[in-house]
Amino acid sequence: MLKFTQEHEWLKLEGDVATVGITTYAVEQLGDLVFVELPEVGATFSKNDDAATVESVKAASEVYCPLDGEIVEVNPAIVADPSLVNSDAQGAGWFFKLKLKNLGDVDGLLDEAAYKELTA
């Protein structure tokens, strides 16, 4: 199941762990990424905390933690090659995996139809 935030992060849920990245829409707004900084495994974040940083040829931007939780895995491939995010934002370009503190919080996020309406 995919969920989205108004800040253009996507989440793919598997049990109580969410794989998190930025949406194709966000990548299109940023342009070609040249740098990605990811959080440390074991770090805990609250919803809307700055969790990662991306820099593109246009601007630097924060990637927000979509929900409360703990980082259980990061994607080193996008640090080595930020263009992976541009080429496959909602696949190989994922940022981190977040063990959710409260699975019920997912219900407050946007579904795909609501996100498409937001970005139309």
Side-chain angles (χ1 to χ4, degrees):
M1 169 176 48
L2 278 180
K3 289 288 195 170
F4 299 86
T5 70
Q6 291 188 359
E7 292 76 29
H8 310 293
E9 288 88 24
W10 59 265
L11 295 84
K12 180 180 178 188
L13 289 170
E14 297 170 41
D16 64 350
V17 175
T19 301
V20 179
I22 60 174
T23 64
T24 302
Y25 176 85
V27 170
E28 289 167 356
Q29 301 306 304
L30 287 166
D32 292 336
L33 296 186
V34 295
F35 175 79
V36 175
E37 181 180 82
L38 296 173
E40 296 288 324
V41 171
T44 57
F45 292 97
S46 296
K47 181 178 180 177
N48 295 328
D49 282 353
D50 297 347
T53 303
V54 294
E55 290 181 15
S56 70
V57 292
K58 293 182 183 178
S61 184
E62 300 304 320
V63 176
Y64 301 105
C65 194
L67 296 171
D68 297 350
E70 178 183 346
I71 304 297
V72 293
E73 188 178 342
V74 295
N75 185 359
I78 65 170
V79 174
D81 183 6
S83 70
L84 277 175
V85 180
N86 292 97
S87 62
D88 192 10
Q90 291 177 220
W94 62 276
F95 278 60
F96 54 84
K97 293 190 180 187
L98 182 72
K99 183 171 176 49
L100 301 177
K101 186 174 179 180
N102 182 358
L103 192 55
D105 290 346
V106 170
D107 296 338
L109 299 175
L110 303 172
D111 63 17
E112 197 159 358
Y115 184 74
K116 284 185 177 179
E117 191 173 301
L118 175 74
T119 58

